[in-house]
Amino acid sequence: MVDAKYVEKYGYSLWRAMEKELRGYAEKAAVFTFGMKIKPAETVAKLIESTMAGIGTDELELSAAVVRYQRLLPEVTQAYEELLGGKTLEKRIKGETSRRYKKLLVEIISIRE
């Protein structure tokens, strides 16, 4: 694995290197891209959680993430629970959204191909 070789050579991970060397949008883009290659389900779970963090929900970004990464959703829901200590993605979406939008998102994340 590339990250393991990097740690062996430099003493810290590629994640840490990107955090040290990059700032702002460049850091976010690099970390996200690297995450999608190394741990895609965990990366998407973090992205989805970030759309619901803080005051209000970024519904556009949440919708885009759920639709764009629909093929990964079974793995994402499991990674989400692991990252957030047992809280399910479905419960989080139900708590952050309402009415038809909530019903639609819950339906989408429940689809198993």
Side-chain angles (χ1 to χ4, degrees):
M1 178 165 190
V2 173
D3 196 40
K5 290 289 184 184
Y6 194 91
V7 170
E8 190 177 298
K9 185 172 183 175
Y10 296 105
Y12 52 88
S13 70
L14 277 169
W15 295 98
R16 182 70 185 121
M18 286 185 279
E19 289 171 349
K20 282 176 56 175
E21 298 297 326
L22 302 171
R23 296 287 178 261
Y25 293 123
E27 177 187 1
K28 283 180 77 172
V31 168
F32 182 80
T33 302
F34 184 65
M36 288 303 290
K37 294 293 182 191
I38 304 300
K39 298 177 183 176
E42 184 178 308
T43 301
V44 174
K46 288 178 183 177
L47 172 66
I48 290 173
E49 174 56 24
S50 75
T51 67
M52 297 182 282
I55 297 173
T57 297
D58 184 343
E59 292 178 351
L60 178 60
E61 192 172 357
L62 176 57
S63 298
V66 168
V67 172
R68 169 68 178 92
Y69 301 109
Q70 186 174 358
R71 68 178 179 79
L72 293 174
L73 286 177
E75 295 88 7
V76 169
T77 54
Q78 183 178 352
Y80 190 92
E81 283 186 50
E82 291 169 7
L83 285 171
L84 286 134
K87 186 162 190 166
T88 67
L89 180 57
E90 183 176 340
K91 281 185 182 178
R92 181 77 161 126
I93 287 174
K94 284 180 176 179
E96 291 291 325
T97 58
S98 61
R99 299 188 198 104
R100 291 184 199 161
Y101 183 59
K102 171 174 52 178
K103 186 176 179 182
L104 175 65
L105 288 178
V106 169
E107 200 61 38
I108 291 171
I109 66 167
S110 299
I111 295 171
R112 301 285 186 243
E113 293 185 48

